[in-house]
């Protein structure tokens, strides 16, 4: 029985190393002001290479990609943007009017993000 316990304890360091290797990195969260009083949440998973911007659909946030985005970081610098009015992104007070004012064009946001000269954009 003593031998079994020693072998069992010997497995824990190996398990800790495996868990550390497979744990996704913690993304950096920042906010980009697209107009006065309206900030959008931008999630930055880091990475190397050209920027890739992931856009969540419907009522989702950029954190929809928390498991998927780190898999792209070997080839791309991966960003996610949460649309206005969802998650931590702001919404203008006038949005509750009918008809709502038009949203800011995406180019306005991309011009405010660093290193966005060439970016690939994808969404769900």
């Amino acid at each position: 029985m003593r031998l079994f316990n020693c072998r069992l304890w010997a497995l824990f360091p190996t398990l800790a190393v495996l868990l550390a290797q497979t744990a996704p990195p913690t993304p950096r969260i920042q906010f980009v002001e697209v107009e006065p009083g309206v900030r959008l949440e931008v999630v930055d998973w880091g990475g190397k290479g050209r920027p890739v911007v992931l856009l969540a659909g419907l009522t989702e946030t950029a954190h929809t990609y928390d498991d998927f985005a780190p898999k792209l970081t070997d080839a791309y610098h991966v960003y996610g943007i949460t649309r206005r009015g969802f998650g931590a992104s702001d919404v203008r007070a006038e949005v509750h009017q009918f008809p709502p004012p038009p949203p800011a064009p995406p180019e306005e946001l991309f011009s405010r993000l660093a290193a966005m000269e060439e970016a690939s954009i994808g969404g769900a």
Side-chain angles (χ1 to χ4, degrees):
M1 186 68 171
R2 195 177 253 283
L3 181 61
F4 175 75
N5 286 340
C6 291
R7 285 185 184 166
L8 183 62
W9 285 110
L11 290 176
F12 285 115
T14 305
L15 181 61
V17 168
L18 287 174
L19 289 174
Q21 290 174 349
T22 59
T26 303
R28 190 178 91 184
I29 309 296
Q30 55 188 334
F31 290 86
V32 176
E33 188 168 298
V34 293
E35 63 184 60
V38 179
R39 298 177 321 143
L40 298 184
E41 178 187 34
V42 178
V43 182
D44 182 353
W45 287 277
K48 307 171 225 167
R50 289 181 50 189
V52 170
V53 179
L54 303 175
L55 303 172
L58 297 174
T59 60
E60 298 295 326
T61 70
H63 295 282
T64 297
Y65 299 108
D66 279 343
D67 293 330
F68 173 70
K71 296 174 183 171
L72 300 175
T73 58
D74 286 340
Y76 303 100
H77 192 123
V78 185
Y79 297 93
I81 301 172
T82 299
R83 295 181 305 140
R84 68 173 67 204
F86 296 96
S89 291
D90 295 330
V91 64
R92 290 187 306 192
E94 303 90 50
V95 167
H96 300 291
Q97 299 175 1
F98 186 82
E107 298 83 28
E108 212 174 293
L109 172 63
F110 299 144
S111 70
R112 289 176 170 85
L113 286 171
M116 283 292 168
E117 294 171 7
E118 292 183 22
S120 299
I121 301 173

